[in-house]
Amino acid sequence: MTPKSYPIYKGLQKPLTYKGFKGKYIYWALGSLILGLLVGAVAAALTNMITAGLSALASMGSCIAFILYKQNKGLYKRNIYSGIFVHQTKLSIYYEKRKQEPI
């Protein structure tokens, strides 16, 4: 008997997207909202409610703006080098001298 084979759905190979945030930035946005709530709670304990609310909104807004800025650069961290790169075509002189010696 041969085993039955079933088709496996592997997805569309695209990152998870939620309200404009992609991949790991969804968790960053969630963390920034929690951070804003904590900043608001601490500010409410130390000052009045209006200042606490404004500081919470400012904290959340600045973190979300930073996340959107980072997301526009790309989902994955990569180095972008600009300039002209010259690659050495020959090996070092030590190798060339050693290569000429008889075995």
Side-chain angles (χ1 to χ4, degrees):
M1 288 178 76
T2 60
K4 291 182 179 180
S5 64
Y6 297 99
I8 298 173
Y9 177 71
K10 294 184 179 180
L12 301 174
Q13 301 300 320
K14 292 186 177 183
L16 178 65
T17 304
Y18 180 73
K19 297 203 182 240
F21 296 108
K22 298 178 185 175
K24 66 180 179 182
Y25 297 108
I26 295 171
Y27 301 111
W28 286 24
L30 183 62
S32 70
L33 294 176
I34 292 171
L35 177 71
L37 290 174
L38 289 175
V39 167
V42 169
L46 298 176
T47 63
N48 61 6
M49 293 300 286
I50 295 172
T51 306
L54 291 176
S55 65
L57 288 176
S59 159
M60 287 182 209
S62 62
C63 287
I64 295 292
F66 176 71
I67 291 168
L68 290 174
Y69 169 73
K70 291 291 278 186
Q71 182 174 321
N72 285 338
K73 286 187 166 184
L75 186 58
Y76 304 103
K77 185 178 177 182
R78 63 186 181 271
N79 295 329
I80 300 173
Y81 299 107
S82 61
I84 299 172
F85 298 97
V86 179
H87 295 283
Q88 186 176 357
T89 57
K90 293 184 177 182
L91 296 174
S92 66
I93 296 173
Y94 173 74
Y95 177 79
E96 290 176 355
K97 287 181 180 178
R98 189 171 180 199
K99 185 179 175 186
Q100 293 172 355
E101 295 175 6
I103 296 177

